Amino acid sequence: MRLMEPGREVEVSRDLLPATLARHGVVLIRQGSIAEVRALLDRWTVPVDHPHQVADGLTVIAPRVRLDDCDNEAGFTDLPLSPHTDRSLHAQPPSVLATLMLTPARAGGSATLVDGAQVLALLRRRAEDAAIAGLRLRTATGQPGPPVVEFVPGHARIRYRDDRIAGPYSTDGRADLVAGFRRLASETTRFLQLGAGDGYLVHNHRFLHGRTAFTGGRTLVRFLARVDNDHPYAWLNRGFPIASS
């Protein structure tokens, strides 16, 4: 298995993986296996459970359902998934997410990635942090959810989705900020075509991920985890660093 910096043909040492993830928010996987990714994560993270998992923190994602009124299982279809934070509505979303492609789609199925740190930096050029902090998620049933951007001293954490389960709104009536976040996320989306054995690790508090629609039996595995509390990079569980406004 090879680990690569995004956008460069630079291989990442396994010992430097946490530092590289902290710096870039994403690390690419090439020629990997489930056992190798699991062993890599076990060195510095703890699995986070998911209702659909088949093993600790590990879920197989492949088309198996057709949706009616609820798309909480949209991942298990061939439909597109808009860029989102995994477990966005939960009190403590996992900080590390990894995917590994087992069987690529016959057509389509590109992975999509959005750097939330870039989106936030652009949004902060036009609004104060207090106004951005008013962006929240609201469920389809009208229940208020967590903040889209959670500011803590020196760090920020993003949790985002925009689908039939929940979407962003502004508690201050700033529809322009909601539209601005959506537009910036769309404009900064990156597309990755993953072959068998390819994948990525992302800082789930920073990077949004999704996919385009596809045909064929696309199958991948997803790992959810948080950084071990005793690890030097356990601060990734709080978010990503930001400069003061």
Side-chain angles (χ1 to χ4, degrees):
M1 180 174 67
R2 301 170 64 206
L3 303 174
M4 309 296 295
E5 286 190 17
R8 303 174 61 193
E9 290 298 316
V10 177
E11 193 158 355
V12 176
S13 164
R14 299 186 185 197
D15 291 336
L16 295 179
L17 173 59
T20 306
L21 192 66
R23 183 167 63 253
H24 295 295
V26 58
V27 174
L28 304 181
I29 299 170
R30 292 182 182 169
Q31 302 168 331
S33 69
I34 293 175
E36 287 175 313
V37 176
R38 169 63 84 196
L40 182 70
L41 290 173
D42 284 347
R43 297 174 63 176
W44 61 292
T45 70
V46 177
V48 171
D49 288 342
H50 189 279
H52 298 128
Q53 68 185 27
V54 297
D56 290 347
L58 187 156
T59 302
V60 178
I61 300 179
R64 61 176 175 80
V65 299
R66 298 303 303 179
L67 299 182
D68 294 317
D69 294 329
C70 177
D71 66 348
N72 196 34
E73 294 189 339
F76 301 102
T77 71
D78 54 11
L79 301 175
L81 292 179
S82 59
H84 61 280
T85 304
D86 258 40
R87 309 297 275 168
S88 56
L89 294 175
H90 288 251
Q92 182 64 37
S95 54
V96 177
L97 178 147
T99 68
L100 184 72
M101 183 66 69
L102 301 183
T103 305
R106 185 166 61 248
S110 296
T112 56
L113 295 174
V114 175
D115 187 350
Q118 182 183 8
V119 171
L120 178 58
L122 294 170
L123 203 61
R124 292 175 92 198
R125 294 179 183 177
R126 64 191 68 184
E128 299 293 329
D129 287 354
I132 296 173
L135 296 177
R136 300 185 72 91
L137 293 179
R138 179 164 51 202
T139 70
T141 60
Q143 296 298 312
V148 171
V149 181
E150 182 180 0
F151 291 101
V152 297
H155 291 77
R157 177 167 61 182
I158 291 177
R159 59 181 91 203
Y160 184 80
R161 66 185 302 159
D162 192 6
D163 53 25
R164 291 193 296 172
I165 298 300
Y169 77 104
S170 169
T171 58
D172 303 325
R174 291 289 302 272
D176 61 313
L177 290 185
V178 176
F181 196 105
R182 284 180 169 134
R183 179 178 58 79
L184 291 169
S186 176
E187 291 176 351
T188 59
T189 298
R190 311 178 196 176
F191 296 87
L192 297 176
Q193 194 63 46
L194 302 176
D198 293 342
Y200 54 80
L201 294 100
V202 295
H203 186 191
N204 189 50
H205 295 175
R206 172 177 167 177
F207 260 80
L208 315 177
H209 73 110
R211 68 162 187 248
T212 62
F214 64 92
T215 59
R218 182 184 191 267
T219 303
L220 61 76
V221 291
R222 180 195 62 202
F223 305 79
L224 299 179
R226 61 172 176 82
V227 183
D228 191 291
N229 290 335
D230 296 326
H231 194 275
Y233 282 88
W235 58 263
L236 287 168
N237 294 329
R238 301 194 307 271
F240 57 91
I242 58 170
S244 298
S245 296

